[in-house]
């Protein structure tokens, strides 16, 4: 005859108390850095996820003219240069394996009168960027060079003047990071 397991008894305890600090979110961290780049003045970011992908976006912001500094764990300051005042990077913008960072920053650079080269690691070089490049070209940016299928390395030249509006054009269906890069570019188009 088998013995039964003893019964488990649960007793009410006191309420849970304390503080929990959640780790930063990669998607929001990319966007926070880019918004800091496009703002004129200082942006303070707390809770930034400090993974390689986000650090590549921070480096790209610095290459485009922002002052980016870490002043504590997950705490960063970005001294932005403002929309329309980005500088052409002297080096290739290397996004490692960050497709999100690259696509978002293509939307930023593609709306400024600068030329920038985007590249990444072997994995990122396999991912097509055509779905972000096509709308940027429709708004006046030029793709000066690209690998097959819009893969990196990609050299983009933004328009000399703000993007022209194409409000009646049917835009392709885009995923979230592609949708995020285009409003930045479209917003640049609305500038006088």
């Amino acid at each position: 005859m088998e013995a039964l397991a003893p019964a488990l008894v649960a007793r009410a305890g006191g309420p849970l108390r304390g503080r929990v600090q959640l780790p930063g979110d990669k998607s929001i961290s990319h966007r926070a850095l880019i918004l800091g780049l496009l703002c004129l003045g200082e942006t303070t970011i707390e809770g930034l996820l400090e993974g390689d992908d986000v650090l590549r976006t921070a480096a790209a912001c610095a290459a485009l003219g922002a002052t980016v500094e870490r002043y504590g764990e997950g705490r960063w300051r970005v001294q932005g240069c403002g929309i329309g005042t980005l500088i052409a990077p002297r080096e290739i913008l290397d996004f490692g394996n960050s497709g999100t960072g690259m696509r978002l920053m293509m939307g930023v650079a593609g709306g400024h009168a600068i030329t920038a080269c985007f590249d990444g690691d072997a994995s990122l070089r396999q991912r097509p960027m055509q779905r972000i490049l096509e709308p940027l070209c429709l708004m006046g940016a030029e793709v000066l060079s690209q690998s097959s299928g819009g893969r990196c390395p990609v050299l983009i030249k933004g328009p000399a003047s703000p993007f022209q509006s194409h409000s009646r054009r049917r835009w392709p269906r885009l995923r979230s990071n592609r949708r995020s890069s285009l409003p930045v570019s479209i917003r640049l188009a609305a500038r006088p």
Side-chain angles (χ1 to χ4, degrees):
M1 182 174 204
E2 278 184 50
L4 296 175
L8 295 176
V9 178
R11 291 186 175 77
L16 293 176
R17 293 175 195 208
R19 294 182 85 166
V20 175
Q21 185 169 352
L22 300 175
D25 175 82
K26 182 166 64 168
S27 179
I28 293 171
S29 294
H30 284 297
R31 288 159 174 84
L33 288 166
I34 291 170
L35 290 174
L37 164 71
L38 296 173
C39 289
L40 188 58
E42 185 176 292
T43 299
T44 303
I45 304 167
E46 294 189 15
L48 190 86
L49 181 67
E50 296 178 327
D52 186 62
D53 287 6
V54 173
L55 296 178
R56 303 277 183 152
T57 297
C61 289
L64 293 170
T67 301
V68 181
E69 88 178 293
R70 180 182 192 263
Y71 66 96
E73 187 173 332
R75 299 169 59 124
W76 291 68
R77 273 191 280 271
V78 180
Q79 187 71 35
C81 43
I83 292 175
T85 62
L86 302 187
I87 61 170
R90 294 181 178 159
E91 304 283 328
I92 292 170
L93 299 176
D94 183 354
F95 283 88
N97 193 30
S98 180
T100 297
M102 179 179 285
R103 288 182 181 101
L104 292 172
M105 201 58 84
M106 283 179 168
V108 171
H112 285 80
I114 62 172
T115 300
C117 186
F118 295 81
D119 203 0
D121 66 12
S123 174
L124 189 56
R125 284 182 168 206
Q126 296 304 309
R127 291 187 248 164
M129 299 292 159
Q130 199 62 42
R131 286 180 279 182
I132 189 64
L133 297 175
E134 288 174 2
L136 289 174
C137 289
L138 290 173
M139 292 186 286
E142 286 181 72
V143 177
L144 301 178
S145 69
Q146 62 183 305
S147 292
S148 173
R151 290 174 172 80
C152 347
V154 175
L155 184 63
I156 296 176
K157 180 179 180 184
S161 60
F163 283 146
Q164 300 301 311
S165 175
H166 291 81
S167 59
R168 294 185 183 180
R169 186 173 301 279
R170 182 182 163 103
W171 295 100
R173 252 189 125 116
L174 302 171
R175 292 187 179 166
S176 69
N177 56 19
R178 295 177 190 113
R179 283 193 309 264
S180 293
S181 68
L182 293 178
V184 171
S185 300
I186 292 167
R187 176 66 187 117
L188 293 171
R191 295 187 71 233

